[in-house]
Amino acid sequence: MVVDDHPALRAGLRSLIDSDPALRVLLEVGSGEAAYAEYRTQRPDAVVMDLSMDGFGGIEAIRRIRALDPRAAILVYSVHNSQVLLERALEAGALGFVTKGSKVDTLLEGLKRVARGESFVSGDMLPALLDRHRPSAANQFKQLTQREFQIFKLLSEGHTLSECASILHLSSKTVSNHFTQIKAKLAVASPAEMARMAIRQGLVEP
């Protein structure tokens, strides 16, 4: 299953993947919500997952799919080469991470590897993988729970607190409480400061 919110990119990925005799695209969807819904019924052997999509996004989709099926084979395919997103994706249950700047052969190899239950990271992400436990500016995000990070990212992308609550199917009070925790943990005072921090770490587009 190919998951990406850009129809042209989905079509391109379908063509590339189908060109390999060992692979075939079963279906393609444009959101994390749709990915989770379709996975429940289709159970593809592997998933190629974008991270930055409208709605609850790729990391939450990974978490929900892996909760449904602990053996789900998910390969992240992202424009972002962020250490923070790599860590969050792996923590959510992704088996691999390939950047969209990688060669086609790298994507296909990664897809085959995760389908076999193996881990795979594209070469340009290896430094971030090796630096995961070294002190860095990215480490401040380790204080955030998965839910807090999810809300942080939504706020950084310009969503309001009420929109976050609607997207994540949470109460406004719950989101507000998380917002308070995020501000305390990251020493920021507003969503605007969160957005600047997210841009510096490559979590959202400027």
Side-chain angles (χ1 to χ4, degrees), residues 76-115:
V76 170
Y77 189 50
S78 175
V79 68
H80 301 289
N81 61 352
S82 162
Q83 178 184 340
V84 177
L85 287 180
L86 171 66
E87 290 182 355
R88 290 292 171 170
L90 296 180
E91 288 170 4
L95 289 183
F97 196 112
V98 174
T99 60
K100 290 181 178 178
S102 301
K103 294 180 179 179
V104 171
D105 289 346
T106 301
L107 171 63
L108 297 178
E109 176 63 18
L111 187 50
K112 292 174 184 177
R113 291 274 289 274
V114 300

Side-chain angles (χ1 to χ4, degrees), residues 111-126:
L111 187 50
K112 292 174 184 177
R113 291 274 289 274
V114 300
R116 295 196 296 265
E118 302 172 13
S119 300
F120 185 87
V121 174
S122 57
D124 57 343
M125 292 302 294
L126 286 175

Side-chain angles (χ1 to χ4, degrees), residues 54-193:
D54 288 339
F56 59 54
I59 290 177
E60 178 66 7
I62 294 168
R63 188 190 68 78
R64 293 191 185 197
I65 289 172
R66 288 280 292 190
L68 177 70
D69 178 9
R71 295 180 297 177
I74 303 173
L75 176 71
V76 170
Y77 189 50
S78 175
V79 68
H80 301 289
N81 61 352
S82 162
Q83 178 184 340
V84 177
L85 287 180
L86 171 66
E87 290 182 355
R88 290 292 171 170
L90 296 180
E91 288 170 4
L95 289 183
F97 196 112
V98 174
T99 60
K100 290 181 178 178
S102 301
K103 294 180 179 179
V104 171
D105 289 346
T106 301
L107 171 63
L108 297 178
E109 176 63 18
L111 187 50
K112 292 174 184 177
R113 291 274 289 274
V114 300
R116 295 196 296 265
E118 302 172 13
S119 300
F120 185 87
V121 174
S122 57
D124 57 343
M125 292 302 294
L126 286 175
L129 185 66
L130 295 173
D131 287 342
R132 287 177 71 192
H133 303 296
R134 296 179 183 175
S136 72
N139 286 352
Q140 61 192 317
F141 290 100
K142 292 182 178 179
Q143 305 173 74
L144 303 183
T145 65
Q146 282 281 20
R147 180 66 80 197
E148 288 167 354
F149 181 77
Q150 187 177 35
I151 292 171
F152 167 84
K153 195 165 183 301
L154 287 171
L155 291 170
S156 299
E157 292 168 352
H159 292 284
T160 64
L161 290 174
S162 60
E163 287 171 342
C164 291
S166 176
I167 290 168
L168 300 175
H169 304 292
L170 299 172
S171 70
S172 296
K173 182 178 179 180
T174 297
V175 171
S176 180
N177 289 339
H178 282 308
F179 181 46
T180 299
Q181 290 297 316
I182 294 166
K183 289 189 293 183
K185 290 179 179 181
L186 298 182
V188 294
S190 68
E193 288 187 37

